[in-house]
Coordinates of all heavy atoms in Angstrom, one line a residue:
V440 N 207.9 -47.1 -3.9 CA 209.1 -47.5 -3.3 C 209.3 -49.0 -3.7 O 208.4 -49.7 -3.8 CB 209.1 -47.3 -1.8 CG1 208.0 -48.1 -1.1 CG2 210.5 -47.5 -1.2
G441 N 210.5 -49.3 -3.9 CA 210.9 -50.7 -4.2 C 211.6 -51.3 -3.0 O 212.1 -50.6 -2.1
Y442 N 211.6 -52.6 -2.9 CA 212.3 -53.3 -1.8 C 213.1 -54.4 -2.4 O 212.7 -55.2 -3.2 CB 211.2 -53.9 -0.9 CG 211.8 -54.8 0.2 CD1 212.6 -54.3 1.2 CD2 211.7 -56.2 0.1 CE1 213.1 -55.0 2.2 CE2 212.2 -57.0 1.1 CZ 213.0 -56.4 2.2 OH 213.5 -57.2 3.1
A443 N 214.4 -54.3 -2.1 CA 215.4 -55.3 -2.6 C 216.3 -55.8 -1.5 O 217.2 -55.2 -1.1 CB 216.3 -54.6 -3.7
P444 N 215.8 -56.8 -0.8 CA 216.6 -57.4 0.4 C 218.0 -57.8 -0.1 O 218.1 -58.4 -1.2 CB 215.7 -58.5 0.9 CG 214.9 -58.9 -0.3 CD 214.7 -57.7 -1.1
E445 N 219.0 -57.6 0.7 CA 220.3 -57.8 0.3 C 220.7 -59.3 0.2 O 221.5 -59.7 -0.5 CB 221.3 -57.2 1.3 CG 221.2 -57.7 2.7 CD 220.0 -57.2 3.5 OE1 219.3 -56.2 3.1 OE2 219.6 -57.8 4.5
V446 N 219.9 -60.2 0.9 CA 220.3 -61.6 0.9 C 219.4 -62.4 -0.1 O 219.4 -63.6 -0.2 CB 220.2 -62.2 2.3 CG1 221.1 -61.6 3.2 CG2 218.8 -62.1 2.8
S447 N 218.5 -61.7 -0.8 CA 217.5 -62.4 -1.5 C 217.7 -62.4 -3.0 O 218.2 -61.4 -3.6 CB 216.1 -61.8 -1.3 OG 215.1 -62.4 -2.0
L448 N 217.4 -63.5 -3.7 CA 217.4 -63.5 -5.1 C 216.1 -62.9 -5.7 O 215.9 -62.5 -6.8 CB 217.6 -64.9 -5.6 CG 218.9 -65.6 -5.3 CD1 218.9 -67.0 -5.7 CD2 220.0 -64.8 -5.9
A449 N 215.0 -63.0 -4.9 CA 213.7 -62.5 -5.3 C 212.9 -62.0 -4.0 O 213.2 -62.5 -2.9 CB 212.9 -63.7 -5.9
A450 N 212.0 -61.1 -4.3 CA 211.2 -60.6 -3.2 C 209.8 -60.4 -3.9 O 209.7 -60.1 -5.1 CB 211.7 -59.3 -2.7
E451 N 208.8 -60.6 -3.1 CA 207.4 -60.5 -3.7 C 206.5 -59.9 -2.6 O 206.6 -60.2 -1.4 CB 206.8 -61.8 -4.1 CG 205.5 -61.7 -4.7 CD 205.0 -63.1 -5.2 OE1 205.7 -63.7 -6.0 OE2 203.9 -63.5 -4.8
H452 N 205.6 -59.0 -3.1 CA 204.7 -58.3 -2.2 C 203.4 -59.1 -2.1 O 202.9 -59.6 -3.2 CB 204.4 -56.9 -2.7 CG 203.2 -56.3 -2.1 ND1 203.2 -55.8 -0.8 CD2 201.9 -56.2 -2.6 CE1 202.0 -55.4 -0.5 NE2 201.2 -55.6 -1.6
N453 N 202.8 -59.3 -1.0 CA 201.6 -60.1 -0.9 C 200.4 -59.3 -0.3 O 199.2 -59.6 -0.6 CB 201.8 -61.3 0.0 CG 202.7 -62.3 -0.6 OD1 203.0 -62.3 -1.8 ND2 203.3 -63.2 0.3
L454 N 200.6 -58.3 0.6 CA 199.5 -57.7 1.3 C 199.9 -56.3 1.8 O 201.0 -56.1 2.1 CB 199.3 -58.6 2.5 CG 198.2 -58.3 3.6 CD1 196.8 -58.3 2.9 CD2 198.3 -59.3 4.7
T455 N 198.9 -55.4 1.8 CA 199.2 -54.0 2.2 C 198.0 -53.6 3.1 O 196.8 -53.9 2.8 CB 199.3 -53.1 1.0 OG1 200.4 -53.5 0.3 CG2 199.5 -51.6 1.5
K456 N 198.3 -52.9 4.2 CA 197.3 -52.3 5.0 C 197.7 -50.9 5.4 O 198.9 -50.6 5.5 CB 197.1 -53.0 6.4 CG 196.5 -54.4 6.2 CD 195.0 -54.4 6.0 CE 194.5 -55.8 5.9 NZ 193.2 -56.0 6.4
I457 N 196.8 -50.0 5.6 CA 197.1 -48.6 5.9 C 196.4 -48.3 7.3 O 195.2 -48.6 7.4 CB 196.6 -47.6 4.8 CG1 197.3 -47.9 3.5 CG2 196.9 -46.2 5.2 CD1 196.8 -47.2 2.3
D458 N 197.2 -47.7 8.2 CA 196.6 -47.3 9.5 C 195.9 -45.9 9.5 O 195.9 -45.3 8.5 CB 197.6 -47.5 10.6 CG 198.7 -46.5 10.6 OD1 198.6 -45.4 9.9 OD2 199.7 -46.7 11.3
N459 N 195.4 -45.5 10.6 CA 194.7 -44.3 10.7 C 195.6 -43.0 10.5 O 195.1 -41.9 10.2 CB 193.9 -44.1 12.0 CG 192.8 -45.2 12.2 OD1 192.3 -45.6 11.2 ND2 192.5 -45.5 13.4
N460 N 196.9 -43.2 10.7 CA 197.8 -42.1 10.5 C 198.4 -42.1 9.1 O 199.3 -41.2 8.8 CB 199.0 -42.2 11.5 CG 198.5 -42.1 12.9 OD1 197.6 -41.3 13.2 ND2 199.0 -42.9 13.8
G461 N 198.0 -43.0 8.3 CA 198.5 -43.0 6.9 C 199.8 -43.8 6.7 O 200.3 -43.9 5.6
N462 N 200.2 -44.5 7.8 CA 201.4 -45.4 7.6 C 201.0 -46.6 6.8 O 199.8 -47.1 7.0 CB 201.9 -45.8 9.0 CG 202.4 -44.7 9.8 OD1 203.2 -43.9 9.3 ND2 201.9 -44.5 11.0
V463 N 201.9 -47.1 6.1 CA 201.6 -48.3 5.2 C 202.4 -49.5 5.7 O 203.6 -49.4 5.9 CB 202.0 -47.9 3.7 CG1 201.8 -49.1 2.8 CG2 201.2 -46.7 3.2
Y464 N 201.7 -50.6 5.8 CA 202.3 -51.8 6.2 C 202.3 -52.8 5.0 O 201.2 -53.0 4.4 CB 201.5 -52.4 7.4 CG 201.5 -51.5 8.6 CD1 200.6 -50.5 8.7 CD2 202.5 -51.7 9.6 CE1 200.6 -49.6 9.8 CE2 202.5 -50.8 10.7 CZ 201.6 -49.8 10.8 OH 201.6 -48.9 11.8
S465 N 203.4 -53.3 4.7 CA 203.5 -54.2 3.5 C 204.0 -55.5 4.0 O 205.0 -55.6 4.8 CB 204.4 -53.6 2.5 OG 204.5 -54.4 1.4
V466 N 203.5 -56.6 3.5 CA 203.9 -58.0 3.8 C 204.3 -58.7 2.5 O 203.5 -58.5 1.5 CB 202.8 -58.8 4.6 CG1 203.3 -60.2 4.8 CG2 202.4 -58.1 5.9
G467 N 205.4 -59.3 2.6 CA 205.8 -60.1 1.4 C 206.8 -61.2 1.9 O 206.8 -61.6 3.0
Y468 N 207.6 -61.6 0.9 CA 208.6 -62.6 1.3 C 209.9 -62.3 0.6 O 209.9 -61.7 -0.4 CB 208.1 -64.1 1.1 CG 208.0 -64.4 -0.4 CD1 209.1 -64.9 -1.0 CD2 206.8 -64.4 -1.1 CE1 209.1 -65.3 -2.4 CE2 206.8 -64.7 -2.4 CZ 207.9 -65.2 -3.1 OH 207.8 -65.6 -4.4
K469 N 210.9 -62.9 1.1 CA 212.2 -62.8 0.4 C 212.8 -64.2 0.4 O 212.6 -65.1 1.3 CB 213.2 -61.9 1.1 CG 213.6 -62.3 2.5 CD 214.5 -61.2 3.1 CE 214.9 -61.5 4.5 NZ 215.8 -60.5 5.1
E470 N 213.4 -64.5 -0.7 CA 213.9 -65.8 -1.0 C 215.2 -66.0 -0.3 O 216.2 -65.1 -0.5 CB 214.1 -66.0 -2.5 CG 214.5 -67.3 -3.0 CD 214.5 -67.4 -4.5 OE1 215.3 -66.7 -5.1 OE2 213.6 -68.0 -5.1
I471 N 215.4 -67.0 0.5 CA 216.7 -67.2 1.2 C 217.5 -68.2 0.4 O 218.7 -68.0 0.1 CB 216.4 -67.8 2.6 CG1 215.5 -66.8 3.4 CG2 217.7 -68.0 3.3 CD1 216.1 -65.4 3.6
N472 N 216.9 -69.3 0.0 CA 217.6 -70.3 -0.8 C 216.7 -71.0 -1.7 O 215.8 -71.8 -1.3 CB 218.3 -71.3 0.1 CG 219.2 -72.3 -0.6 OD1 219.0 -72.5 -1.8 ND2 220.2 -72.8 0.1
V473 N 216.7 -70.7 -3.0 CA 215.8 -71.3 -4.0 C 216.0 -72.8 -4.2 O 215.0 -73.5 -4.5 CB 215.9 -70.5 -5.3 CG1 217.2 -70.8 -6.0 CG2 214.7 -70.9 -6.2
L474 N 217.2 -73.3 -3.9 CA 217.4 -74.7 -4.1 C 216.6 -75.6 -3.2 O 216.3 -76.7 -3.5 CB 218.9 -75.0 -4.0 CG 219.8 -74.2 -5.1 CD1 221.3 -74.5 -4.8 CD2 219.4 -74.7 -6.5
I475 N 216.4 -75.0 -2.0 CA 215.7 -75.8 -0.9 C 214.3 -75.2 -0.6 O 213.7 -75.6 0.4 CB 216.5 -76.1 0.3 CG1 217.0 -74.7 0.9 CG2 217.8 -76.9 0.0 CD1 217.7 -74.8 2.2
N476 N 213.9 -74.3 -1.4 CA 212.5 -73.7 -1.2 C 212.4 -73.0 0.2 O 211.5 -73.2 0.9 CB 211.4 -74.7 -1.4 CG 210.1 -74.1 -1.6 OD1 210.0 -73.0 -2.2 ND2 209.0 -74.7 -1.2
D477 N 213.4 -72.2 0.5 CA 213.5 -71.5 1.8 C 213.1 -70.0 1.6 O 213.9 -69.3 1.0 CB 214.9 -71.6 2.4 CG 214.9 -71.0 3.8 OD1 213.9 -70.7 4.4 OD2 216.1 -70.9 4.3
F478 N 212.0 -69.6 2.2 CA 211.5 -68.2 2.0 C 211.2 -67.7 3.5 O 210.7 -68.5 4.3 CB 210.3 -68.1 1.2 CG 210.5 -68.6 -0.2 CD1 210.3 -69.9 -0.6 CD2 210.8 -67.6 -1.2 CE1 210.4 -70.3 -1.9 CE2 211.0 -68.0 -2.5 CZ 210.8 -69.3 -2.9

Side-chain angles (χ1 to χ4, degrees):
V440 64
Y442 173 71
E445 63 285 343
V446 298
S447 178
L448 300 172
E451 182 175 303
H452 164 77
N453 293 341
L454 179 64
T455 299
K456 293 281 180 148
I457 301 173
D458 69 14
N459 293 335
N460 297 319
N462 297 309
V463 178
Y464 300 84
S465 179
V466 176
Y468 71 86
K469 63 182 180 180
E470 186 175 71
I471 304 302
N472 187 335
V473 68
L474 298 176
I475 57 174
N476 198 31
D477 184 11
F478 298 90

